[in-house]
Amino acid sequence: MAAGEPHFVIIPLLAQGHIIPACDMARLLATNGAIVTVVITPANLTRLHSFSTLISTSNLPIRLASLPFPSTAASIPDSCQNVDLVHSPDLFSNFFLAMSLLQTPLLEYLHGQHPPPTCIISDHFQPWGMNIARELSIPNLIFHGFSSFTLTAMLTIKNHKIYQSLTDVHKPFIIPGLPQPIETTKAKAPPFFYEEAPGFEKLAQEAIMAEDTCEGIVLNTCSEMESYFTQQLEELTGKKVYAIGPLPLANKDAASKAARGNKPSIDESQCLQWLDSMPESSVIYVSFGSITHTVAAQLIEIGAGLEASGLRFIWVIKESELMAAPEVGKWLTEEEGFEKRVEGRGMVIKGWAPQAAILGHSAVGGFVTHCGWNSVMESVSAGLPMLTWPHFADQFLNEKVVVEVLKVGVPVGIGKPIMYVFGEEMVVVGREVVEKGVKCLMECGGEGEERRKRVRELGEKVRKAVDKGGSSFENLIKLIEVGSKKLMKST
Ligand code: UDP
């Protein structure tokens, strides 16, 4: 690694939905002439085994800086190194404290690096990255895992002081200042970014300060999807927004697509071979991301709805969900059980799926998603329509992007947010609604066909955006220029 190359340090929130785009971003920067360090902890490094092997065999200048997780100092079990491993709401403030305590060891680590860092990209949830940047006299950029629409909506809601006068969190209101009337509620647009969230006041204040002082904002989106909202966001924040997505498109081959996040619980080639045997655009992919927790009764309703639809599908159930509900495991596998009944047309992945590789297969025709922003970007990149089933956080606003702005999805119809890990044992969506929803998603002709056409065209546009000369590629080059500023000053 020659001195004279920009050296980016990416500090992701320790959650799969943030570490995965951080690794994609690292790949993009590194294939375009930068050196990249991604900051993680030992348990997260173990999960990144395939990614780490791939980058070392391809000689990409990406370093994974694994710093000891400061569990003792933050009074949190050492096993809680990722949001999906924090199983009690009481531990979240300790988790954020532990991440912030990485500041001193990271600075020491970076002092020993050659070439020295020239730019920091801190996750919005890791605002202390600004202190490192200040210490090293280099620029700090903020990475938001949210869409431009979501950030714009949150900011206009804040600027219009809507929540100050709102006592009922479920009372609908129209988000002000948008070019079309879009309705939400406080519960569906939680104020944890631009307002002070109870228990996270200090973090929120630091996050606001980091954004005020940053050199720019980096987003996993692209102009072809959200140019209006990206411009709005630039106006509202006064910051340059680097829309460099879709980030998953940084992975060109099947191996790198399958090496995102955890080790898949199924052999990727076996899964793709199964898809090879299916007709084009006929398989529904059902997955709710990395941290939602679906309770037993709801899992059974999903399964029963998929079964009744008669359609082909791949359904991902998390290991933690099966551990919490052994009866579901039995329901799936017993002699005349679910898997037997849907054999030949339905596959259940128990654990982690090679999602990007699956979505990229031509046999897949639709995605039942919780609307995590990474999943939305992956679906659009693959030109797939969505059945939207948001649970919490930014997911309801993302649903608005999918259904009302881009018009590439249909809502399953979730009325109120569902808590993810600590939720009650309840069925939110019954089997008939699941069946109707997936049939509507896969509908040939009519509105279904229109949606499919729209998302296919959008998919083509976003894939072009990351190619040389495309909008996201140009933004990436500008981002690399920010990382090169320090080098220019010193020459
Ligand atoms: N993911 C995956 N396999 C799984 C579950 C999730 O590869 O079995 C990936 C998915 O492709 C996405 C990320 O994990 O890149 C989840 O991020 P998203 O924003 O969609 O949801 P979150 O997990 O943050 O709620």
Side-chain angles (χ1 to χ4, degrees), residues 293-324:
H293 181 92
T294 307
V295 297
Q298 181 64 75
L299 286 171
I300 288 173
E301 291 304 302
I302 295 172
L306 288 171
E307 186 178 355
S309 74
L311 294 164
R312 299 180 180 86
F313 63 87
I314 292 180
W315 176 24
V316 188
I317 307 182
K318 294 183 188 70
E319 219 169 74
S320 56
E321 291 166 346
L322 290 169
M323 268 159 66

Side-chain angles (χ1 to χ4, degrees), residues 112-185:
Q113 289 303 297
H114 180 77
T118 59
C119 188
I120 307 282
I121 301 181
S122 331
D123 196 287
H124 192 70
F125 281 110
Q126 304 279 37
W128 51 269
M130 68 183 157
N131 304 331
I132 303 241
R134 196 182 319 113
E135 211 42 64
L136 300 176
S137 305
I138 57 178
N140 181 45
L141 293 128
I142 301 294
F143 174 77
H144 271 289
F146 288 0
S147 63
S148 293
F149 169 85
T150 294
L151 292 166
T152 302
M154 285 175 169
L155 267 174
T156 54
I157 290 169
K158 182 196 174 203
N159 292 346
H160 284 78
K161 300 189 175 11
I162 294 200
Y163 292 155
Q164 273 89 330
S165 57
L166 205 68
T167 44
D168 179 358
V169 296
H170 298 301
K171 185 165 183 245
F173 64 89
I174 303 283
I175 303 170
L178 302 186
Q180 66 192 93
I182 292 188
E183 195 179 85
T184 190
T185 64

Side-chain angles (χ1 to χ4, degrees), residues 124 127 130 142 193 202-212:
H124 192 70
M130 68 183 157
I142 301 294
F193 263 94
K202 185 166 173 276
L203 181 69
Q205 275 168 12
E206 282 177 355
I208 290 168
M209 194 194 298
E211 196 157 291
D212 281 348

Side-chain angles (χ1 to χ4, degrees), residues 17 20 260 289-291 316 352-353 355 370 372-375 378 395:
I20 291 172
R260 296 169 82 242
S290 67
I291 45 182
V316 188
W352 189 260
Q355 180 164 308
H370 71 308
W373 189 243
N374 295 294
S375 291
E378 287 157 22
Q395 296 160 13

Side-chain angles (χ1 to χ4, degrees), residues 15-18 20-21 24 84 145 220 248 257-265 285-292 316-318 349-359 367 369-378 392-395 398 420:
Q16 295 310 80
H18 295 244
I20 291 172
D24 289 347
D84 67 9
N220 178 16
K257 282 182 191 165
R260 296 169 82 242
N262 300 352
K263 185 176 182 317
S265 313
Y285 176 71
V286 186
S287 171
F288 294 157
S290 67
I291 45 182
T292 58
V316 188
I317 307 182
K318 294 183 188 70
I349 298 181
K350 297 162 193 162
W352 189 260
Q355 180 164 308
I358 293 174
L359 293 177
F367 184 6
T369 174
H370 71 308
C371 297
W373 189 243
N374 295 294
S375 291
V376 171
M377 290 304 286
E378 287 157 22
F392 60 93
D394 59 323
Q395 296 160 13
N398 296 341
Y420 60 114

Side-chain angles (χ1 to χ4, degrees), residues 5 15 32 58 62 75 80 132 148 167 188 198 201-202 204 217 237 274 281 283 293 321 340 358 383 424 433 471:
E5 289 159 322
N32 286 285
S58 60
I62 299 176
S75 307
C80 298
I132 303 241
S148 293
T167 44
K188 289 179 172 179
E201 290 83 357
K202 185 166 173 276
I217 297 170
T237 57
W274 186 84
S281 303
V283 179
H293 181 92
E321 291 166 346
K340 194 81 205 152
I358 293 174
E424 298 149 44
V433 179
S471 65

